[in-house]
Coordinates of all heavy atoms in Angstrom, one line a residue:
F1019 N 0.8 -1.2 0.0 CA 0.0 0.0 0.0 C 0.8 1.3 0.0 O 0.5 2.3 -0.6 CB -0.9 0.0 1.2 CG -1.9 -1.1 1.2 CD1 -1.7 -2.2 2.0 CD2 -3.0 -1.1 0.4 CE1 -2.6 -3.3 2.0 CE2 -3.9 -2.1 0.4 CZ -3.7 -3.2 1.2
L1020 N 1.9 1.3 0.7 CA 2.8 2.4 0.8 C 4.2 2.0 0.4 O 5.0 1.6 1.2 CB 2.8 3.0 2.2 CG 1.5 3.5 2.7 CD1 1.6 4.0 4.2 CD2 1.0 4.7 1.9
P1021 N 4.6 2.1 -0.9 CA 5.8 1.6 -1.4 C 7.1 2.2 -0.7 O 8.1 1.6 -0.7 CB 5.8 2.0 -2.9 CG 4.3 2.1 -3.2 CD 3.7 2.6 -2.0
T1022 N 7.0 3.4 -0.2 CA 8.1 4.0 0.4 C 8.2 3.9 1.9 O 9.1 4.4 2.6 CB 8.2 5.5 0.1 OG1 7.0 6.1 0.6 CG2 8.2 5.8 -1.4
Q1023 N 7.2 3.2 2.5 CA 7.2 3.0 3.9 C 8.0 1.8 4.4 O 8.0 0.8 3.7 CB 5.7 2.8 4.4 CG 5.5 2.8 5.9 CD 5.3 4.2 6.4 OE1 5.0 5.1 5.6 NE2 5.3 4.3 7.7
A1024 N 8.7 1.9 5.5 CA 9.5 0.8 6.0 C 8.6 -0.3 6.5 O 7.4 0.0 6.9 CB 10.4 1.3 7.2
A1025 N 9.1 -1.5 6.6 CA 8.2 -2.6 6.8 C 7.8 -2.8 8.3 O 7.0 -3.7 8.6 CB 9.0 -3.9 6.4
E1026 N 8.3 -1.9 9.2 CA 7.8 -2.1 10.6 C 6.4 -1.5 10.8 O 5.9 -1.6 11.9 CB 8.8 -1.4 11.6 CG 9.0 0.1 11.4 CD 10.2 0.4 10.6 OE1 10.4 -0.3 9.6 OE2 11.0 1.3 10.9
T1027 N 5.8 -0.9 9.8 CA 4.4 -0.4 10.0 C 3.5 -1.5 9.6 O 3.8 -2.5 9.0 CB 4.2 0.8 9.0 OG1 4.2 0.4 7.7 CG2 5.2 1.9 9.3
D1028 N 2.2 -1.3 9.9 CA 1.2 -2.3 9.6 C 0.6 -2.2 8.2 O -0.3 -2.9 7.9 CB 0.0 -2.2 10.7 CG 0.5 -2.5 12.1 OD1 1.4 -3.4 12.2 OD2 -0.1 -2.0 13.0
S1029 N 1.1 -1.2 7.4 CA 0.5 -1.0 6.1 C 1.1 -1.9 5.0 O 0.5 -1.9 3.9 CB 0.7 0.5 5.7 OG 2.1 0.8 5.7
V1030 N 2.2 -2.5 5.3 CA 2.8 -3.3 4.2 C 2.8 -4.8 4.7 O 3.5 -5.2 5.6 CB 4.3 -2.9 4.0 CG1 4.9 -3.8 2.9 CG2 4.4 -1.4 3.6
P1031 N 2.0 -5.6 4.0 CA 1.9 -7.0 4.3 C 3.2 -7.8 3.9 O 4.0 -7.4 3.0 CB 0.7 -7.6 3.5 CG 0.6 -6.6 2.4 CD 1.1 -5.3 2.8
Y1032 N 3.4 -8.9 4.6 CA 4.6 -9.7 4.3 C 4.3 -10.8 3.3 O 5.2 -11.3 2.7 CB 5.1 -10.3 5.6 CG 5.5 -9.2 6.6 CD1 4.7 -8.8 7.6 CD2 6.8 -8.6 6.6 CE1 5.0 -7.8 8.5 CE2 7.2 -7.6 7.5 CZ 6.3 -7.2 8.4 OH 6.6 -6.2 9.3
I1033 N 3.1 -11.2 3.2 CA 2.7 -12.3 2.3 C 1.9 -11.6 1.2 O 0.8 -11.1 1.4 CB 1.8 -13.3 3.0 CG1 2.5 -13.9 4.3 CG2 1.5 -14.5 2.0 CD1 3.8 -14.6 4.0
C1034 N 2.5 -11.6 0.0 CA 1.9 -11.0 -1.2 C 1.7 -12.0 -2.2 O 2.6 -12.3 -3.1 CB 2.8 -9.8 -1.7 SG 2.0 -8.9 -3.1
D1035 N 0.5 -12.6 -2.2 CA 0.2 -13.7 -3.1 C -0.7 -13.2 -4.2 O -1.9 -13.3 -4.2 CB -0.5 -14.8 -2.3 CG -0.9 -16.0 -3.1 OD1 -0.2 -16.3 -4.1 OD2 -1.8 -16.7 -2.7
T1036 N -0.1 -12.8 -5.3 CA -0.9 -12.2 -6.4 C -1.4 -13.2 -7.4 O -2.2 -12.8 -8.3 CB 0.0 -11.1 -7.2 OG1 1.1 -11.8 -7.9 CG2 0.6 -10.1 -6.2
V1037 N -1.0 -14.5 -7.3 CA -1.4 -15.4 -8.4 C -2.9 -15.7 -8.4 O -3.5 -15.6 -9.5 CB -0.5 -16.7 -8.3 CG1 -1.0 -17.7 -9.3 CG2 1.0 -16.3 -8.5
P1038 N -3.6 -16.1 -7.3 CA -3.1 -16.5 -6.0 C -2.9 -18.0 -5.8 O -3.5 -18.8 -6.6 CB -4.2 -16.0 -5.0 CG -5.4 -16.2 -5.8 CD -5.0 -16.0 -7.3
L1039 N -2.0 -18.4 -4.9 CA -1.8 -19.8 -4.6 C -2.4 -20.2 -3.2 O -2.6 -21.4 -3.0 CB -0.3 -20.1 -4.6 CG 0.5 -19.8 -5.9 CD1 2.0 -19.9 -5.6 CD2 0.0 -20.6 -7.0
L1040 N -2.6 -19.3 -2.4 CA -3.1 -19.6 -1.0 C -4.6 -19.2 -0.8 O -5.1 -18.3 -1.5 CB -2.3 -18.7 0.0 CG -0.7 -18.9 0.0 CD1 -0.1 -17.8 0.8 CD2 -0.3 -20.3 0.4
T1041 N -5.2 -19.9 0.1 CA -6.6 -19.5 0.4 C -6.5 -18.3 1.3 O -5.5 -18.0 1.9 CB -7.3 -20.7 1.1 OG1 -6.7 -20.9 2.4 CG2 -7.3 -21.9 0.3
D1042 N -7.7 -17.7 1.5 CA -7.7 -16.5 2.4 C -7.3 -16.9 3.8 O -6.6 -16.1 4.5 CB -9.1 -15.9 2.4 CG -9.5 -15.2 1.1 OD1 -8.5 -14.9 0.3 OD2 -10.7 -15.0 0.8
T1043 N -7.8 -18.0 4.3 CA -7.4 -18.5 5.6 C -5.9 -18.7 5.8 O -5.3 -18.3 6.8 CB -8.2 -19.7 6.0 OG1 -9.6 -19.5 5.9 CG2 -7.9 -20.2 7.4
E1044 N -5.3 -19.4 4.8 CA -3.9 -19.6 4.8 C -3.1 -18.3 4.8 O -2.1 -18.2 5.5 CB -3.5 -20.5 3.6 CG -4.1 -21.9 3.7 CD -3.9 -22.7 2.4 OE1 -3.7 -22.1 1.3 OE2 -3.9 -24.0 2.5
R1045 N -3.5 -17.4 3.9 CA -2.8 -16.2 3.8 C -2.9 -15.4 5.1 O -1.9 -14.8 5.5 CB -3.4 -15.3 2.6 CG -2.6 -14.1 2.3 CD -3.0 -13.5 1.0 NE -4.4 -13.3 0.8 CZ -5.2 -14.1 0.1 NH1 -4.7 -15.1 -0.6 NH2 -6.5 -13.8 0.0
T1046 N -4.0 -15.3 5.7 CA -4.2 -14.6 7.0 C -3.3 -15.2 8.1 O -2.6 -14.5 8.8 CB -5.6 -14.6 7.4 OG1 -6.4 -14.0 6.4 CG2 -5.8 -13.9 8.8
S1047 N -3.3 -16.5 8.2 CA -2.4 -17.2 9.2 C -0.9 -17.0 8.9 O -0.2 -16.6 9.9 CB -2.7 -18.7 9.2 OG -1.9 -19.4 10.0
L1048 N -0.5 -17.1 7.7 CA 0.9 -16.9 7.3 C 1.3 -15.5 7.5 O 2.5 -15.2 7.9 CB 1.1 -17.4 5.9 CG 1.0 -18.9 5.7 CD1 1.0 -19.3 4.2 CD2 2.1 -19.7 6.4
E1049 N 0.4 -14.5 7.2 CA 0.7 -13.1 7.4 C 1.0 -12.8 8.8 O 2.0 -12.1 9.2 CB -0.4 -12.3 6.9 CG -0.3 -10.8 7.2 CD 0.8 -10.1 6.4 OE1 1.2 -10.6 5.3 OE2 1.3 -9.0 6.9
A1050 N 0.2 -13.3 9.7 CA 0.4 -13.1 11.2 C 1.7 -13.7 11.6 O 2.4 -13.1 12.4 CB -0.8 -13.8 11.9
Q1051 N 2.1 -14.9 11.1 CA 3.3 -15.5 11.5 C 4.5 -14.7 11.0 O 5.5 -14.5 11.7 CB 3.4 -16.9 10.9 CG 4.7 -17.7 11.3 CD 4.7 -19.1 10.7 OE1 3.8 -19.5 10.0 NE2 5.8 -19.8 10.9
A1052 N 4.4 -14.3 9.7 CA 5.5 -13.5 9.2 C 5.7 -12.1 9.9 O 6.9 -11.7 10.2 CB 5.3 -13.2 7.7
E1053 N 4.6 -11.5 10.3 CA 4.7 -10.3 11.0 C 5.3 -10.5 12.4 O 6.2 -9.7 12.8 CB 3.3 -9.7 11.2 CG 3.3 -8.3 11.9 CD 1.9 -7.7 12.1 OE1 1.0 -8.3 11.5 OE2 1.8 -6.7 12.7
E1054 N 4.9 -11.5 13.1 CA 5.5 -11.8 14.4 C 7.0 -12.0 14.3 O 7.8 -11.5 15.1 CB 4.8 -13.0 15.0 CG 5.4 -13.4 16.4 CD 4.7 -14.6 16.9 OE1 3.8 -15.1 16.3 OE2 5.1 -15.1 18.0
I1055 N 7.5 -12.8 13.3 CA 8.9 -13.1 13.1 C 9.6 -11.8 12.8 O 10.7 -11.5 13.4 CB 9.1 -14.1 12.0 CG1 8.5 -15.5 12.3 CG2 10.6 -14.3 11.7 CD1 8.5 -16.5 11.2

């Protein structure tokens, strides 16, 4: 959403599945895991 913003904000997701390959549930779970890490 904000290309110039550093990744420590909540505006830039860590899982960007544009194909898509993941279900919504999988993407939400993996996003939370990636953010925590």
Side-chain angles (χ1 to χ4, degrees):
F1019 298 101
L1020 297 176
T1022 60
Q1023 188 88 11
E1026 63 263 43
T1027 68
D1028 293 329
S1029 58
V1030 180
Y1032 299 96
I1033 307 299
C1034 184
D1035 180 27
T1036 67
V1037 174
L1039 301 174
L1040 305 169
T1041 66
D1042 290 341
T1043 301
E1044 291 170 341
R1045 186 166 53 253
T1046 299
S1047 174
L1048 293 168
E1049 172 69 23
Q1051 182 181 359
E1053 180 180 356
E1054 180 181 356
I1055 295 170

